[in-house]
Each structure stands twice: as C-alpha cells, then as structure tokens.
Amino acid sequence: MASTYHDGSRRLQDRFDTRRLADRIDERFFQRAVIAPDDRAFIERMDMFFLATADAEGRPQCSYKGGDPGFVKVLDEHTLAFPNYDGNGMYLSMGNVLVNPHVGMLFVDFTAKRPTRLRLNGLASMDEHDPLKSRWPGAQFVVRVEATEVFPNCPRYIHRMALVERSRFVPREETEVPVPDWKRTTWACDVLPANDPARGPDR
C-alpha cells in the first residue's frame, strides 16, 4: 500500500509534533481500507455527501451530492455506489472521474445529537448500463467507488444543524420532478439538451 503521508504532511507533523499521532491514526484506520458494519450503517442513512475530484492535471473540484436517505449503497466491505442525477450539464466532477478516478467522499451528520463524520477515499468508475441503475429513478448513470481508505474524523468542529426540508428535486418513483427555475431563463432555455423536460412539447 502506498504511503499515506507525503513530504508536506510530514513537515507539518514534525513542526507541530504530531508525527506519532499521525502514524497511529494511519495504522488504526487508513491501512484497513474496509467499510465496517458501523460505517455501512452510517453511510446508508445519509442523505448527502461532499465529493472531491481532480482532473488529469490535479486541478480540484468539490461538489455536493444529495438524495433521499440511503441513496448511497454499500455493496460490500470495499465498494459503494451512488447515482448521478441531472445537474447543470457541466459534468465537472464526473468529467474528472473519467480522466482521474481518485475521489474523496466526506459524509457528515449535522443533525444527530452528537454530529459525526466519515471520510472515504477510493477509485471511482461510471457506467450508464450498470444493473444498479434501476434502483434510482432518474439516474443518468451509476458511480461505483472502490475504497482505498476509510476513516472517521474528529467531530468537534461540526456545527449541529436541523433539517428543514428535503429537496423536492430528488427523483422519486411515480413523482414528477419539478423543473428548476434557472432552466427557464433566457440564457439557458435555448441551449438545453433535446430531451430535457424543461424544453416542453412546444420547443
């Protein structure tokens, strides 16, 4: 397994005397690369996560991915999957995956009595014909991630928040997804994909 830390990490660990602690965390969490039962339960009750990607030159993107609770499925102790829904058509994160499969996923529970977070790094792949696609109405394709690192993060700086409302734009069985207002604006409506519902039958 490749080293968890590079020269930049080590320089800061030595500057602040955390090398021993970092090595212990590496030994206890990073080297296992296993999605444990507790991790699975946590991931599968989340309704959102943050996704970090980078292009072939290392330029980063960080995006929010949301759905109904459980929209991320743990397939086994090394693999999870999630749907890609319709977005703004830029495909910044998913485009990065095509040229650089390394991804980072950050799951945060802001609403629990004790906020919690979990990080999972891995190698992602995308498939429009993945058999799991039928699990998620409205999915364009399925992203599978093979975990290379799975580890908890200290929750002490997480702000505890309350859920006000889940997004009405998440695709669901037998529910028509509303058209976002921005797709009806003059700058966007004439360049939408041919099959976009926002175009309507008269366009």
Side-chain angles (χ1 to χ4, degrees):
M1 180 177 287
S3 174
T4 300
Y5 306 120
H6 53 68
D7 179 62
S9 304
R10 288 304 196 186
R11 285 162 54 193
L12 288 170
Q13 291 166 13
D14 291 341
R15 166 68 181 85
F16 295 100
D17 192 28
T18 65
R19 182 184 281 249
R20 297 181 306 281
L21 176 60
D23 286 344
R24 181 64 54 80
I25 292 172
D26 181 42
E27 175 187 337
R28 182 173 176 85
F29 298 110
F30 281 73
Q31 299 302 324
R32 63 187 176 108
V34 168
I35 305 172
D38 287 349
D39 300 331
R40 177 176 190 153
F42 179 72
I43 290 169
E44 291 194 338
R45 67 180 172 82
M46 291 296 97
D47 57 4
M48 54 81 69
F49 67 91
F50 299 99
L51 177 69
T53 64
D55 66 15
E57 283 73 50
R59 294 173 296 190
Q61 291 289 338
C62 183
S63 60
Y64 166 93
K65 299 295 180 184
D68 284 330
F71 80 110
V72 180
K73 302 292 185 185
V74 175
L75 307 180
D76 56 48
E77 64 180 8
H78 300 291
T79 315
L80 57 73
F82 62 90
N84 189 79
Y85 295 127
D86 173 63
N88 57 19
M90 294 176 16
Y91 295 102
L92 295 175
S93 296
M94 295 299 106
N96 282 350
V97 168
L98 286 179
V99 299
N100 178 356
H102 294 273
V103 300
M105 303 173 71
L106 173 62
F107 298 88
V108 185
D109 186 345
F110 294 98
T111 63
K113 186 173 183 179
R114 180 180 183 273
T116 310
R117 60 180 169 172
L118 178 76
R119 291 171 64 175
L120 185 148
N121 297 329
L123 299 173
S125 61
M126 299 159 37
D127 187 353
E128 288 184 58
H129 307 290
D130 192 304
L132 291 174
K133 185 177 174 183
S134 61
R135 286 189 174 194
W136 296 289
Q140 294 180 324
F141 50 82
V142 172
V143 182
R144 293 188 184 224
V145 179
E146 180 181 351
T148 55
E149 297 171 336
V150 183
F151 56 103
N153 263 176
C154 174
R156 60 181 153 163
Y157 297 118
I158 299 175
H159 306 295
R160 189 177 177 211
M161 302 180 186
L163 175 66
V164 176
E165 182 182 26
R166 297 197 191 278
S167 173
R168 61 193 177 97
F169 295 98
V170 173
R172 297 177 176 93
E173 288 282 4
E174 301 177 358
T175 302
E176 185 175 351
V177 178
V179 173
D181 291 341
W182 69 266
K183 285 191 175 185
R184 299 190 190 280
T185 60
T186 55
W187 64 264
C189 64
D190 63 331
V191 291
L192 295 174
N195 63 350
D196 195 300
R199 295 180 67 92
D202 58 336
R203 290 184 179 274

